[in-house]
Amino acid sequence: MPPSATDSSSDARGSLSLPVEARGDLKDPFGPIETDADVLLSSVSGPLIAIGDVVTYHLLEAGRQPDVSLVDGRTKRSAVDEEIEQVVTEGVSLEVENSPGTITEDLVETLLTALAADEPTAILVDGEEDLAALPAIVAAPDGASIVYGQPDEGMVHVRVDDEIRKQVRALLERFEGDGDAIWELLADA
């Protein structure tokens, strides 16, 4: 478990923040990039977790409801089109706050709740869901597909296995903040 540092956020619960020196590690995708949702979906065989409004929209338009989706009403730091917002927020059943550049304990708890649900679950994030792919990769079962957007390139498809979990855990260990509770949640996942 990584050492804890002082959490400078006003949130009394645990959170991890992306340090400046680790930002470059997120530029390279964790899986292949696809621009066609139908082609991407043809290689999905397990649970499907979608991170982001545009990704979720494309999967829904291709006829596949993600088992879990996380949306925040934004893409590339700007509001999404009204049509996209209406489509992706129609089935929202959970809401959570998560500040930009962070992974909060509340986000991880909500993600774990959604992963355990019997029905498809949409999560509306007040703040930003961009980093949610990281705890999703750690917590999702083997064979699950995590799909997130790579700006101006397409959709990244990550098939979860022990190797990618190990890679993402190593990256998360470089995050800063009071993440003990988050690590405990992810250890139980």
Side-chain angles (χ1 to χ4, degrees), residues 50-57 60 68-74 80 84-85 87-90 92 94 96 122-129:
I51 313 292
D53 297 66
V54 175
V55 166
T56 301
Y57 177 78
L60 289 168
V68 176
S69 59
L70 291 99
V71 298
D72 64 5
R74 307 187 71 70
V80 295
I84 292 174
E85 182 178 17
V87 170
V88 301
T89 60
E90 185 175 315
V92 166
L94 297 173
V96 67
I123 301 168
L124 179 61
V125 178
D126 180 7
E128 190 174 274
E129 63 4 39

PDB file of all heavy atoms in Angstrom, residues 50-57 60 68-74 80 84-85 87-90 92 94 96 122-129:
ATOM      1  N   ALA A  50     -18.267   1.421 -19.428  1.00  0.00           N
ATOM      2  CA  ALA A  50     -17.981   2.565 -20.283  1.00  0.00           C
ATOM      3  C   ALA A  50     -17.669   3.778 -19.417  1.00  0.00           C
ATOM      4  O   ALA A  50     -18.423   4.114 -18.506  1.00  0.00           O
ATOM      5  CB  ALA A  50     -19.176   2.870 -21.186  1.00  0.00           C
ATOM      6  N   ILE A  51     -16.566   4.436 -19.733  1.00  0.00           N
ATOM      7  CA  ILE A  51     -16.148   5.636 -19.017  1.00  0.00           C
ATOM      8  C   ILE A  51     -16.220   6.807 -19.986  1.00  0.00           C
ATOM      9  O   ILE A  51     -15.468   6.841 -20.958  1.00  0.00           O
ATOM     10  CB  ILE A  51     -14.697   5.514 -18.476  1.00  0.00           C
ATOM     11  CG1 ILE A  51     -14.458   4.190 -17.763  1.00  0.00           C
ATOM     12  CG2 ILE A  51     -14.352   6.726 -17.622  1.00  0.00           C
ATOM     13  CD1 ILE A  51     -15.186   3.987 -16.478  1.00  0.00           C
ATOM     14  N   GLY A  52     -17.135   7.729 -19.738  1.00  0.00           N
ATOM     15  CA  GLY A  52     -17.234   8.927 -20.566  1.00  0.00           C
ATOM     16  C   GLY A  52     -18.537   9.013 -21.334  1.00  0.00           C
ATOM     17  O   GLY A  52     -19.119   8.002 -21.730  1.00  0.00           O
ATOM     18  N   ASP A  53     -18.958  10.238 -21.546  1.00  0.00           N
ATOM     19  CA  ASP A  53     -20.231  10.511 -22.204  1.00  0.00           C
ATOM     20  C   ASP A  53     -20.243  10.077 -23.668  1.00  0.00           C
ATOM     21  O   ASP A  53     -21.176   9.417 -24.125  1.00  0.00           O
ATOM     22  CB  ASP A  53     -20.552  12.002 -22.116  1.00  0.00           C
ATOM     23  CG  ASP A  53     -20.727  12.471 -20.684  1.00  0.00           C
ATOM     24  OD1 ASP A  53     -19.745  12.450 -19.915  1.00  0.00           O
ATOM     25  OD2 ASP A  53     -21.841  12.853 -20.332  1.00  0.00           O
ATOM     26  N   VAL A  54     -19.206  10.456 -24.423  1.00  0.00           N
ATOM     27  CA  VAL A  54     -19.187  10.161 -25.856  1.00  0.00           C
ATOM     28  C   VAL A  54     -19.040   8.658 -26.091  1.00  0.00           C
ATOM     29  O   VAL A  54     -19.734   8.085 -26.939  1.00  0.00           O
ATOM     30  CB  VAL A  54     -18.080  10.975 -26.562  1.00  0.00           C
ATOM     31  CG1 VAL A  54     -17.963  10.580 -28.023  1.00  0.00           C
ATOM     32  CG2 VAL A  54     -18.360  12.473 -26.431  1.00  0.00           C
ATOM     33  N   VAL A  55     -18.200   8.011 -25.314  1.00  0.00           N
ATOM     34  CA  VAL A  55     -18.046   6.556 -25.424  1.00  0.00           C
ATOM     35  C   VAL A  55     -19.380   5.874 -25.118  1.00  0.00           C
ATOM     36  O   VAL A  55     -19.833   4.999 -25.874  1.00  0.00           O
ATOM     37  CB  VAL A  55     -16.944   6.048 -24.462  1.00  0.00           C
ATOM     38  CG1 VAL A  55     -17.006   4.541 -24.305  1.00  0.00           C
ATOM     39  CG2 VAL A  55     -15.581   6.474 -24.952  1.00  0.00           C
ATOM     40  N   THR A  56     -20.000   6.249 -24.019  1.00  0.00           N
ATOM     41  CA  THR A  56     -21.286   5.652 -23.638  1.00  0.00           C
ATOM     42  C   THR A  56     -22.316   5.879 -24.728  1.00  0.00           C
ATOM     43  O   THR A  56     -23.065   4.960 -25.099  1.00  0.00           O
ATOM     44  CB  THR A  56     -21.763   6.231 -22.293  1.00  0.00           C
ATOM     45  OG1 THR A  56     -20.775   5.947 -21.286  1.00  0.00           O
ATOM     46  CG2 THR A  56     -23.101   5.646 -21.881  1.00  0.00           C
ATOM     47  N   TYR A  57     -22.362   7.076 -25.269  1.00  0.00           N
ATOM     48  CA  TYR A  57     -23.305   7.409 -26.340  1.00  0.00           C
ATOM     49  C   TYR A  57     -23.109   6.492 -27.554  1.00  0.00           C
ATOM     50  O   TYR A  57     -24.067   5.929 -28.079  1.00  0.00           O
ATOM     51  CB  TYR A  57     -23.124   8.875 -26.742  1.00  0.00           C
ATOM     52  CG  TYR A  57     -23.990   9.301 -27.892  1.00  0.00           C
ATOM     53  CD1 TYR A  57     -25.335   9.595 -27.708  1.00  0.00           C
ATOM     54  CD2 TYR A  57     -23.465   9.423 -29.180  1.00  0.00           C
ATOM     55  CE1 TYR A  57     -26.133   9.988 -28.770  1.00  0.00           C
ATOM     56  CE2 TYR A  57     -24.245   9.826 -30.238  1.00  0.00           C
ATOM     57  CZ  TYR A  57     -25.582  10.101 -30.029  1.00  0.00           C
ATOM     58  OH  TYR A  57     -26.371  10.483 -31.084  1.00  0.00           O
ATOM     59  N   LEU A  60     -24.310   2.965 -26.803  1.00  0.00           N
ATOM     60  CA  LEU A  60     -25.777   2.918 -26.785  1.00  0.00           C
ATOM     61  C   LEU A  60     -26.347   3.011 -28.199  1.00  0.00           C
ATOM     62  O   LEU A  60     -27.280   2.282 -28.548  1.00  0.00           O
ATOM     63  CB  LEU A  60     -26.333   4.046 -25.911  1.00  0.00           C
ATOM     64  CG  LEU A  60     -26.128   3.891 -24.414  1.00  0.00           C
ATOM     65  CD1 LEU A  60     -26.463   5.195 -23.687  1.00  0.00           C
ATOM     66  CD2 LEU A  60     -26.965   2.742 -23.864  1.00  0.00           C
ATOM     67  N   VAL A  68     -22.045  -1.045 -16.773  1.00  0.00           N
ATOM     68  CA  VAL A  68     -21.782   0.119 -15.930  1.00  0.00           C
ATOM     69  C   VAL A  68     -21.314   1.240 -16.847  1.00  0.00           C
ATOM     70  O   VAL A  68     -20.487   1.015 -17.733  1.00  0.00           O
ATOM     71  CB  VAL A  68     -20.686  -0.169 -14.875  1.00  0.00           C
ATOM     72  CG1 VAL A  68     -20.358   1.094 -14.062  1.00  0.00           C
ATOM     73  CG2 VAL A  68     -21.081  -1.309 -13.955  1.00  0.00           C
ATOM     74  N   SER A  69     -21.858   2.439 -16.635  1.00  0.00           N
ATOM     75  CA  SER A  69     -21.358   3.605 -17.367  1.00  0.00           C
ATOM     76  C   SER A  69     -21.176   4.752 -16.388  1.00  0.00           C
ATOM     77  O   SER A  69     -21.936   4.889 -15.433  1.00  0.00           O
ATOM     78  CB  SER A  69     -22.299   4.001 -18.510  1.00  0.00           C
ATOM     79  OG  SER A  69     -23.587   4.309 -18.018  1.00  0.00           O
ATOM     80  N   LEU A  70     -20.147   5.532 -16.623  1.00  0.00           N
ATOM     81  CA  LEU A  70     -19.861   6.724 -15.822  1.00  0.00           C
ATOM     82  C   LEU A  70     -19.803   7.909 -16.764  1.00  0.00           C
ATOM     83  O   LEU A  70     -19.024   7.901 -17.725  1.00  0.00           O
ATOM     84  CB  LEU A  70     -18.536   6.590 -15.075  1.00  0.00           C
ATOM     85  CG  LEU A  70     -18.524   5.567 -13.957  1.00  0.00           C
ATOM     86  CD1 LEU A  70     -17.903   4.269 -14.436  1.00  0.00           C
ATOM     87  CD2 LEU A  70     -17.781   6.095 -12.758  1.00  0.00           C
ATOM     88  N   VAL A  71     -20.634   8.917 -16.509  1.00  0.00           N
ATOM     89  CA  VAL A  71     -20.714  10.102 -17.351  1.00  0.00           C
ATOM     90  C   VAL A  71     -20.683  11.350 -16.474  1.00  0.00           C
ATOM     91  O   VAL A  71     -21.046  11.288 -15.293  1.00  0.00           O
ATOM     92  CB  VAL A  71     -21.985  10.086 -18.230  1.00  0.00           C
ATOM     93  CG1 VAL A  71     -21.974   8.888 -19.179  1.00  0.00           C
ATOM     94  CG2 VAL A  71     -23.249  10.075 -17.387  1.00  0.00           C
ATOM     95  N   ASP A  72     -20.251  12.477 -17.060  1.00  0.00           N
ATOM     96  CA  ASP A  72     -20.193  13.718 -16.295  1.00  0.00           C
ATOM     97  C   ASP A  72     -20.732  14.928 -17.058  1.00  0.00           C
ATOM     98  O   ASP A  72     -20.625  16.062 -16.598  1.00  0.00           O
ATOM     99  CB  ASP A  72     -18.778  13.987 -15.795  1.00  0.00           C
ATOM    100  CG  ASP A  72     -17.766  14.211 -16.912  1.00  0.00           C
ATOM    101  OD1 ASP A  72     -18.144  14.254 -18.103  1.00  0.00           O
ATOM    102  OD2 ASP A  72     -16.571  14.340 -16.589  1.00  0.00           O
ATOM    103  N   GLY A  73     -21.313  14.701 -18.251  1.00  0.00           N
ATOM    104  CA  GLY A  73     -21.872  15.807 -19.019  1.00  0.00           C
ATOM    105  C   GLY A  73     -20.833  16.622 -19.773  1.00  0.00           C
ATOM    106  O   GLY A  73     -21.141  17.677 -20.303  1.00  0.00           O
ATOM    107  N   ARG A  74     -19.604  16.105 -19.833  1.00  0.00           N
ATOM    108  CA  ARG A  74     -18.529  16.856 -20.465  1.00  0.00           C
ATOM    109  C   ARG A  74     -17.687  15.947 -21.361  1.00  0.00           C
ATOM    110  O   ARG A  74     -17.620  14.750 -21.158  1.00  0.00           O
ATOM    111  CB  ARG A  74     -17.650  17.510 -19.412  1.00  0.00           C
ATOM    112  CG  ARG A  74     -18.466  18.354 -18.428  1.00  0.00           C
ATOM    113  CD  ARG A  74     -17.665  19.153 -17.468  1.00  0.00           C
ATOM    114  NE  ARG A  74     -16.952  20.278 -18.044  1.00  0.00           N
ATOM    115  CZ  ARG A  74     -17.507  21.399 -18.514  1.00  0.00           C
ATOM    116  NH1 ARG A  74     -18.810  21.537 -18.492  1.00  0.00           N
ATOM    117  NH2 ARG A  74     -16.769  22.368 -18.996  1.00  0.00           N
ATOM    118  N   VAL A  80     -21.059  18.394 -23.266  1.00  0.00           N
ATOM    119  CA  VAL A  80     -21.429  17.580 -24.421  1.00  0.00           C
ATOM    120  C   VAL A  80     -22.669  18.160 -25.075  1.00  0.00           C
ATOM    121  O   VAL A  80     -23.409  18.932 -24.457  1.00  0.00           O
ATOM    122  CB  VAL A  80     -21.668  16.097 -24.035  1.00  0.00           C
ATOM    123  CG1 VAL A  80     -20.403  15.440 -23.559  1.00  0.00           C
ATOM    124  CG2 VAL A  80     -22.781  15.952 -23.034  1.00  0.00           C
ATOM    125  N   ILE A  84     -26.454  14.093 -26.777  1.00  0.00           N
ATOM    126  CA  ILE A  84     -25.618  13.116 -26.076  1.00  0.00           C
ATOM    127  C   ILE A  84     -25.970  13.099 -24.595  1.00  0.00           C
ATOM    128  O   ILE A  84     -26.154  12.040 -23.998  1.00  0.00           O
ATOM    129  CB  ILE A  84     -24.116  13.407 -26.291  1.00  0.00           C
ATOM    130  CG1 ILE A  84     -23.736  13.145 -27.751  1.00  0.00           C
ATOM    131  CG2 ILE A  84     -23.254  12.568 -25.350  1.00  0.00           C
ATOM    132  CD1 ILE A  84     -22.320  13.524 -28.111  1.00  0.00           C
ATOM    133  N   GLU A  85     -26.093  14.277 -23.993  1.00  0.00           N
ATOM    134  CA  GLU A  85     -26.415  14.352 -22.566  1.00  0.00           C
ATOM    135  C   GLU A  85     -27.748  13.664 -22.257  1.00  0.00           C
ATOM    136  O   GLU A  85     -27.848  12.899 -21.299  1.00  0.00           O
ATOM    137  CB  GLU A  85     -26.454  15.811 -22.099  1.00  0.00           C
ATOM    138  CG  GLU A  85     -26.728  15.914 -20.612  1.00  0.00           C
ATOM    139  CD  GLU A  85     -26.732  17.341 -20.117  1.00  0.00           C
ATOM    140  OE1 GLU A  85     -26.847  18.286 -20.923  1.00  0.00           O
ATOM    141  OE2 GLU A  85     -26.627  17.516 -18.894  1.00  0.00           O
ATOM    142  N   VAL A  87     -29.278  11.261 -23.951  1.00  0.00           N
ATOM    143  CA  VAL A  87     -29.174   9.813 -24.155  1.00  0.00           C
ATOM    144  C   VAL A  87     -28.419   9.148 -23.005  1.00  0.00           C
ATOM    145  O   VAL A  87     -28.859   8.140 -22.465  1.00  0.00           O
ATOM    146  CB  VAL A  87     -28.512   9.485 -25.519  1.00  0.00           C
ATOM    147  CG1 VAL A  87     -28.169   8.007 -25.625  1.00  0.00           C
ATOM    148  CG2 VAL A  87     -29.423   9.905 -26.669  1.00  0.00           C
ATOM    149  N   VAL A  88     -27.268   9.705 -22.602  1.00  0.00           N
ATOM    150  CA  VAL A  88     -26.434   9.024 -21.616  1.00  0.00           C
ATOM    151  C   VAL A  88     -26.917   9.198 -20.181  1.00  0.00           C
ATOM    152  O   VAL A  88     -26.558   8.406 -19.310  1.00  0.00           O
ATOM    153  CB  VAL A  88     -24.942   9.410 -21.721  1.00  0.00           C
ATOM    154  CG1 VAL A  88     -24.409   9.077 -23.101  1.00  0.00           C
ATOM    155  CG2 VAL A  88     -24.694  10.858 -21.355  1.00  0.00           C
ATOM    156  N   THR A  89     -27.737  10.214 -19.921  1.00  0.00           N
ATOM    157  CA  THR A  89     -28.221  10.412 -18.550  1.00  0.00           C
ATOM    158  C   THR A  89     -29.630   9.871 -18.342  1.00  0.00           C
ATOM    159  O   THR A  89     -30.130   9.893 -17.221  1.00  0.00           O
ATOM    160  CB  THR A  89     -28.189  11.901 -18.142  1.00  0.00           C
ATOM    161  OG1 THR A  89     -29.024  12.648 -19.027  1.00  0.00           O
ATOM    162  CG2 THR A  89     -26.769  12.437 -18.151  1.00  0.00           C
ATOM    163  N   GLU A  90     -30.243   9.333 -19.385  1.00  0.00           N
ATOM    164  CA  GLU A  90     -31.618   8.840 -19.286  1.00  0.00           C
ATOM    165  C   GLU A  90     -31.782   7.773 -18.208  1.00  0.00           C
ATOM    166  O   GLU A  90     -32.755   7.765 -17.478  1.00  0.00           O
ATOM    167  CB  GLU A  90     -32.072   8.289 -20.640  1.00  0.00           C
ATOM    168  CG  GLU A  90     -33.519   7.880 -20.663  1.00  0.00           C
ATOM    169  CD  GLU A  90     -33.943   7.461 -22.045  1.00  0.00           C
ATOM    170  OE1 GLU A  90     -33.613   8.153 -23.022  1.00  0.00           O
ATOM    171  OE2 GLU A  90     -34.606   6.414 -22.147  1.00  0.00           O
ATOM    172  N   VAL A  92     -29.718   7.148 -15.538  1.00  0.00           N
ATOM    173  CA  VAL A  92     -28.851   7.335 -14.372  1.00  0.00           C
ATOM    174  C   VAL A  92     -29.551   6.858 -13.110  1.00  0.00           C
ATOM    175  O   VAL A  92     -30.693   7.216 -12.837  1.00  0.00           O
ATOM    176  CB  VAL A  92     -28.416   8.810 -14.229  1.00  0.00           C
ATOM    177  CG1 VAL A  92     -27.807   9.079 -12.863  1.00  0.00           C
ATOM    178  CG2 VAL A  92     -27.435   9.178 -15.325  1.00  0.00           C
ATOM    179  N   LEU A  94     -27.332   6.232 -10.121  1.00  0.00           N
ATOM    180  CA  LEU A  94     -26.450   6.607  -9.022  1.00  0.00           C
ATOM    181  C   LEU A  94     -25.762   7.923  -9.360  1.00  0.00           C
ATOM    182  O   LEU A  94     -25.518   8.219 -10.533  1.00  0.00           O
ATOM    183  CB  LEU A  94     -25.375   5.535  -8.790  1.00  0.00           C
ATOM    184  CG  LEU A  94     -25.841   4.144  -8.367  1.00  0.00           C
ATOM    185  CD1 LEU A  94     -24.668   3.179  -8.355  1.00  0.00           C
ATOM    186  CD2 LEU A  94     -26.506   4.194  -7.003  1.00  0.00           C
ATOM    187  N   VAL A  96     -22.494  10.642  -7.878  1.00  0.00           N
ATOM    188  CA  VAL A  96     -21.335  10.745  -7.002  1.00  0.00           C
ATOM    189  C   VAL A  96     -20.545  12.001  -7.357  1.00  0.00           C
ATOM    190  O   VAL A  96     -20.544  12.433  -8.510  1.00  0.00           O
ATOM    191  CB  VAL A  96     -20.447   9.481  -7.104  1.00  0.00           C
ATOM    192  CG1 VAL A  96     -19.802   9.358  -8.477  1.00  0.00           C
ATOM    193  CG2 VAL A  96     -19.413   9.431  -6.004  1.00  0.00           C
ATOM    194  N   ALA A 122     -26.015   3.216 -14.504  1.00  0.00           N
ATOM    195  CA  ALA A 122     -25.386   4.433 -15.001  1.00  0.00           C
ATOM    196  C   ALA A 122     -25.102   5.345 -13.816  1.00  0.00           C
ATOM    197  O   ALA A 122     -25.963   5.551 -12.957  1.00  0.00           O
ATOM    198  CB  ALA A 122     -26.285   5.132 -16.005  1.00  0.00           C
ATOM    199  N   ILE A 123     -23.885   5.888 -13.781  1.00  0.00           N
ATOM    200  CA  ILE A 123     -23.444   6.761 -12.705  1.00  0.00           C
ATOM    201  C   ILE A 123     -23.196   8.151 -13.275  1.00  0.00           C
ATOM    202  O   ILE A 123     -22.427   8.309 -14.223  1.00  0.00           O
ATOM    203  CB  ILE A 123     -22.139   6.241 -12.070  1.00  0.00           C
ATOM    204  CG1 ILE A 123     -22.327   4.827 -11.519  1.00  0.00           C
ATOM    205  CG2 ILE A 123     -21.653   7.202 -10.977  1.00  0.00           C
ATOM    206  CD1 ILE A 123     -21.014   4.139 -11.140  1.00  0.00           C
ATOM    207  N   LEU A 124     -23.847   9.153 -12.677  1.00  0.00           N
ATOM    208  CA  LEU A 124     -23.607  10.542 -13.052  1.00  0.00           C
ATOM    209  C   LEU A 124     -22.595  11.112 -12.069  1.00  0.00           C
ATOM    210  O   LEU A 124     -22.829  11.119 -10.856  1.00  0.00           O
ATOM    211  CB  LEU A 124     -24.902  11.350 -13.017  1.00  0.00           C
ATOM    212  CG  LEU A 124     -24.762  12.830 -13.362  1.00  0.00           C
ATOM    213  CD1 LEU A 124     -24.228  13.018 -14.781  1.00  0.00           C
ATOM    214  CD2 LEU A 124     -26.102  13.541 -13.192  1.00  0.00           C
ATOM    215  N   VAL A 125     -21.471  11.582 -12.596  1.00  0.00           N
ATOM    216  CA  VAL A 125     -20.392  12.115 -11.776  1.00  0.00           C
ATOM    217  C   VAL A 125     -20.472  13.633 -11.792  1.00  0.00           C
ATOM    218  O   VAL A 125     -20.451  14.251 -12.857  1.00  0.00           O
ATOM    219  CB  VAL A 125     -19.015  11.643 -12.290  1.00  0.00           C
ATOM    220  CG1 VAL A 125     -17.891  12.248 -11.450  1.00  0.00           C
ATOM    221  CG2 VAL A 125     -18.936  10.125 -12.291  1.00  0.00           C
ATOM    222  N   ASP A 126     -20.574  14.215 -10.607  1.00  0.00           N
ATOM    223  CA  ASP A 126     -20.509  15.660 -10.460  1.00  0.00           C
ATOM    224  C   ASP A 126     -19.033  15.990 -10.270  1.00  0.00           C
ATOM    225  O   ASP A 126     -18.445  15.696  -9.240  1.00  0.00           O
ATOM    226  CB  ASP A 126     -21.327  16.107  -9.244  1.00  0.00           C
ATOM    227  CG  ASP A 126     -21.288  17.617  -9.032  1.00  0.00           C
ATOM    228  OD1 ASP A 126     -20.735  18.340  -9.887  1.00  0.00           O
ATOM    229  OD2 ASP A 126     -21.802  18.069  -7.990  1.00  0.00           O
ATOM    230  N   GLY A 127     -18.441  16.530 -11.296  1.00  0.00           N
ATOM    231  CA  GLY A 127     -17.001  16.779 -11.300  1.00  0.00           C
ATOM    232  C   GLY A 127     -16.413  16.200 -12.561  1.00  0.00           C
ATOM    233  O   GLY A 127     -16.692  16.672 -13.653  1.00  0.00           O
ATOM    234  N   GLU A 128     -15.647  15.110 -12.408  1.00  0.00           N
ATOM    235  CA  GLU A 128     -14.989  14.509 -13.572  1.00  0.00           C
ATOM    236  C   GLU A 128     -14.823  13.005 -13.379  1.00  0.00           C
ATOM    237  O   GLU A 128     -14.452  12.552 -12.304  1.00  0.00           O
ATOM    238  CB  GLU A 128     -13.625  15.171 -13.751  1.00  0.00           C
ATOM    239  CG  GLU A 128     -12.920  14.842 -15.032  1.00  0.00           C
ATOM    240  CD  GLU A 128     -11.640  15.656 -15.191  1.00  0.00           C
ATOM    241  OE1 GLU A 128     -11.724  16.789 -15.695  1.00  0.00           O
ATOM    242  OE2 GLU A 128     -10.576  15.155 -14.789  1.00  0.00           O
ATOM    243  N   GLU A 129     -15.082  12.245 -14.455  1.00  0.00           N
ATOM    244  CA  GLU A 129     -14.953  10.782 -14.400  1.00  0.00           C
ATOM    245  C   GLU A 129     -13.755  10.261 -15.174  1.00  0.00           C
ATOM    246  O   GLU A 129     -13.559   9.071 -15.288  1.00  0.00           O
ATOM    247  CB  GLU A 129     -16.229  10.097 -14.846  1.00  0.00           C
ATOM    248  CG  GLU A 129     -16.812  10.200 -16.205  1.00  0.00           C
ATOM    249  CD  GLU A 129     -16.250  10.904 -17.399  1.00  0.00           C
ATOM    250  OE1 GLU A 129     -15.031  10.896 -17.664  1.00  0.00           O
ATOM    251  OE2 GLU A 129     -17.053  11.454 -18.132  1.00  0.00           O
TER     252      GLU A 129
END
